[in-house]
Amino acid sequence: VQLQASGGGLVQAGGSLRLSCAYSGRTGSRFVTAWFRQAPGKEREFVSGITWSGGSKYYDASVRGRFFVSRDNAKNTMLLQMSSLKPEDTAVYYCAADTSYSEYIDRSSVSYDYWGQGTEVTVSS
């Protein structure tokens, strides 16, 4: 599986940004995808995940109600719509794939075996 994240940038607090993750895999393979982020000096943390079918989504409490995750397997794309951004959302955002599961979202980064290169989001106060 290959993943590539894009869409990061600089935005003022209260603003919005949409991240995109393009993914590819073997024909017929199904996997959970998720967004993680890592702020300077901090560990990588789970942000949101979505099952292959899109039927289940999970959000970290810090972003729940502000971020919305979606995916379109026909277009091999996962999106993260981020609204009401705060300075503490500043981080490098990574998309990842967990090929062990298609319908179970694991919040631990060690479960994800494929990662994109990351896209930087900076929220100014």
Side-chain angles (χ1 to χ4, degrees):
V1 178
Q2 293 182 321
L3 305 104
Q4 184 169 355
S6 61
L10 173 64
V11 63
Q12 288 187 332
S16 299
L17 208 57
R18 188 178 73 172
L19 304 184
S20 179
C21 175
Y23 54 84
S24 62
R26 290 178 299 176
T27 301
S29 61
R30 299 185 173 195
F31 42 86
V32 165
T33 51
W35 290 97
F36 288 79
R37 67 185 180 186
Q38 187 167 18
K42 295 187 177 182
E43 294 186 352
R44 190 169 299 187
E45 63 178 9
F46 176 88
V47 175
S48 179
I50 184 168
T51 54
W52 176 260
S53 67
S56 293
K57 304 171 185 178
Y58 192 87
Y59 301 92
D60 183 77
S62 64
V63 305
R64 196 170 295 143
R66 300 188 297 122
F67 290 12
F68 178 76
V69 66
S70 62
R71 70 188 290 171
D72 184 341
N73 294 324
K75 297 180 179 180
N76 291 341
T77 301
M78 175 178 64
L79 300 176
L80 185 68
Q81 180 66 48
M82 306 185 294
S83 303
S84 302
L85 283 163
K86 305 175 181 179
E88 50 263 44
D89 294 319
T90 294
V92 177
Y93 284 70
Y94 300 88
C95 57
D98 180 355
T99 59
S100 297
Y101 299 103
S102 62
E103 297 297 320
Y104 171 74
I105 301 169
D106 196 319
R107 288 174 285 169
S108 173
S109 62
V110 298
S111 296
Y112 292 78
D113 41 358
Y114 295 93
W115 293 82
Q117 84 289 1
T119 185
E120 189 168 4
V121 173
T122 303
V123 184
S124 62
S125 58

